[in-house]
Amino acid sequence: MRSITISISNGFIDLMKIKVAARHISYRTLFHTILILAFLLPFVFILTALVTLEGVNKCSSFDCLGRRLGPKLLGRVDDSGRLVKDFYKILNLVNTEEIPEGLKLPDSFSQLVSEMKSNQYDARTFAFMLRGMTEKLEREIRESKFAELMNKHFAASSIPKGIHCLSLRLTDEYSSNAHARRQLPSPELLPVLSNNSYHHFVLSTDNILAASVVVASAVQSSVKPEKIVFHVITDKKTYAGMHSWFALNPVSPAIVEVKGIHQFDWLTRENVPVLEAVENHNGIRNYYHGNHVAGANLSDTTPRTFASKLQARSPKYISLLNHLRIYLPELFPNLEKVVFLDDDVVVQRDLSPLWEIDLRGKVNGAVETCKGEDEWVMSKHFRNYFNFSHPLIAKNLNPDECAWAYGMNIFDLRAWRKTNIRETYHSWLKENLKSNLTLWKLGTLPPALIAFKGHVHPIDPSWHMLGLGYQNKTNIENVKKAAVIHYNGQSKPWLQIGFEHLRPFWTKYINYSNDFIRNCHILES
């Protein structure tokens, strides 16, 4: 204690004792305090940094930082984590229960939030609402997808108005214009049709516009167009229009022959009995022309499976034009080697080297379609085409065997005539008819895969690029490099559903100044 004397002016002296707490801080205490602070401050700094980095919103005040640091420093758990865990439990519980009957679902998320505020929903009711809205949306998306596939199927199977107009106008021209009826080729060139020193192409189609693109692209891409002979085969109803087009629009120096199926003496009912059965059998016609949804359980079908089934039911698969390639040795008895082209291809490079490829005694030179990464086109094995649950298929075929492409094929007709390919093709078509079309999914390729088994020589993939009618994301640079590009699939370039960025590779070979093209309003788009 300390004594303090205070003097007063009147001389009265009063002694007062004031107790003052003495603050004695020893050096040892100060040292220990500094040591503890030095130990704690790095942890506080690190914790502050972590809180700042973890935060969704930046703390701009000490109050914010304190609210975030406080629970961590005191060892408390953030309530948000516990809420999330509780919500997971509610969701799992709701997922195993039936949605209550009469539960009215909001039409949008904003409506859901509004109803939650006004009705004070508990977490369980909210979870049921969320699940119901999600399942409803999934059903609507699924139904829309199936509707889209169905509409696309009908669009792909239809004939565009412009192409139908072109056929009608050219047919009319054939009846009224002698130039449209002139002989193709001219009489002095007839010997060339069986001259094996020329490069012979075969094209089978009833699409005049598509045929014009195939021929024009092949001729313009050729180094020696004067060596090209095109044998265009069409059906009876399209013959006059097809003949008119190539008579009025010659592609000289190349030579074009147009023939109708009815003009081939060999194509009699006796020689193609299976095709007659396919065309006339009521069950077969109903399969390809009937209701494609009837009897289909869409709840157990994926959109991709449904799309595959729709494509398999395309009416073109019972067309004689589509099966015609299996009869090439008989249709062209004097030819030794031909290149067969589908009508949905474009030729971008000189194809004359194809005739120099040594097929090593094989009949069919084709690009294999089992060595690519995309699952739609270039990763196909036999399992992708055949029903291996059928004992006949399982017994005779290997599911891992590589598939190959139709659409650009080199056929050695001399080697072909020494085989029984046609007979094998016919026998398997009969088996498929007896099995109610359950042996394979698609039309002409599966029986050909069987018939040509052991007779295929693989050629370089750069000769034939497929998938331009399937894949919207086709690599443009790869398209530019390919010798032949193939719009196989539903999205043909002459249809509205064709891919816009891939269409120019096809339309560049259409002469839009042609009167028939212009009058039928076949416009570049």
Side-chain angles (χ1 to χ4, degrees), residues 119-145:
N119 298 329
Q120 296 295 312
Y121 290 146
D122 57 20
R124 186 171 178 272
T125 305
F126 170 74
F128 270 122
M129 287 280 195
L130 204 59
R131 177 187 162 192
M133 291 177 66
T134 303
E135 291 181 357
K136 179 184 176 184
L137 183 62
E138 288 175 348
R139 285 195 303 270
E140 291 175 350
I141 292 174
R142 184 179 176 83
E143 290 170 1
S144 298
K145 185 64 177 178

Side-chain angles (χ1 to χ4, degrees), residues 479-492:
V479 173
K480 294 177 180 178
K481 296 175 184 177
V484 174
I485 55 175
H486 194 169
Y487 292 84
N488 61 312
Q490 290 180 315
S491 301
K492 304 297 186 188

Side-chain angles (χ1 to χ4, degrees), residues 141-386:
I141 292 174
R142 184 179 176 83
E143 290 170 1
S144 298
K145 185 64 177 178
F146 282 121
E148 177 193 357
L149 292 171
M150 198 59 157
N151 292 334
K152 191 174 183 180
H153 170 69
F154 288 131
S157 302
S158 65
I159 301 174
K161 184 178 179 180
I163 292 180
H164 183 61
C165 165
L166 182 66
S167 181
L168 291 178
R169 285 179 176 268
L170 286 167
T171 300
D172 181 65
E173 194 73 10
Y174 185 85
S175 63
S176 60
N177 185 345
H179 291 288
R181 295 192 304 273
R182 71 181 181 86
Q183 186 174 345
L184 288 178
S186 56
E188 66 273 14
L189 294 176
L190 288 177
V192 175
L193 298 180
S194 56
N195 188 333
N196 285 292
S197 66
Y198 284 75
H199 298 147
H200 294 266
F201 293 90
V202 178
L203 172 64
S204 175
T205 180
D206 60 354
N207 187 327
I208 298 172
L209 187 64
S212 72
V213 169
V214 175
V215 174
S217 65
V219 173
Q220 292 179 33
S221 302
S222 176
V223 174
K224 295 181 177 180
E226 67 277 5
K227 299 292 291 183
I228 289 179
V229 178
F230 257 98
H231 304 269
V232 180
I233 306 173
T234 189
D235 56 19
K236 192 172 184 178
K237 72 179 188 309
T238 314
Y239 171 75
M242 188 76 74
H243 189 105
S244 292
W245 175 263
F246 287 106
L248 299 173
N249 300 278
V251 289
S252 58
I255 298 169
V256 177
E257 174 195 33
V258 177
K259 296 196 73 172
I261 292 177
H262 58 287
Q263 295 175 319
F264 285 97
D265 296 334
W266 188 86
L267 287 175
T268 63
R269 294 295 182 184
E270 292 75 22
N271 289 331
V272 281
V274 175
L275 296 181
E276 181 182 12
V278 169
E279 290 179 342
N280 295 335
H281 192 282
N282 288 332
I284 306 304
R285 294 194 65 81
N286 287 337
Y287 179 86
Y288 287 105
H289 293 282
N291 188 340
H292 294 175
V293 182
N297 188 356
L298 298 184
S299 62
D300 295 333
T301 305
T302 65
R304 179 169 178 176
T305 301
F306 185 65
S308 177
K309 288 181 178 179
L310 285 178
Q311 184 187 354
R313 296 179 74 160
S314 174
K316 71 177 183 179
Y317 291 129
I318 57 173
S319 167
L320 180 55
L321 286 174
N322 203 38
H323 291 268
L324 203 63
R325 66 195 85 187
I326 204 69
Y327 306 116
L328 290 178
E330 290 77 22
L331 300 181
F332 301 98
N334 297 318
L335 295 183
E336 297 176 353
K337 184 177 286 189
V338 300
V339 168
F340 183 89
L341 297 175
D342 273 350
D343 64 357
D344 53 355
V345 307
V346 173
V347 180
Q348 302 187 128
R349 204 165 73 212
D350 178 39
L351 298 186
S352 57
L354 291 176
W355 274 263
E356 306 303 321
I357 294 177
D358 182 6
L359 297 182
R360 299 179 183 177
K362 304 294 185 181
V363 173
N364 180 4
V367 168
E368 291 183 315
T369 56
C370 67
K371 298 180 179 178
E373 295 180 355
D374 66 282
E375 57 183 347
W376 273 108
V377 180
M378 296 302 290
S379 58
K380 300 291 188 183
H381 295 79
F382 274 28
R383 71 170 69 91
N384 299 107
Y385 296 99
F386 296 98

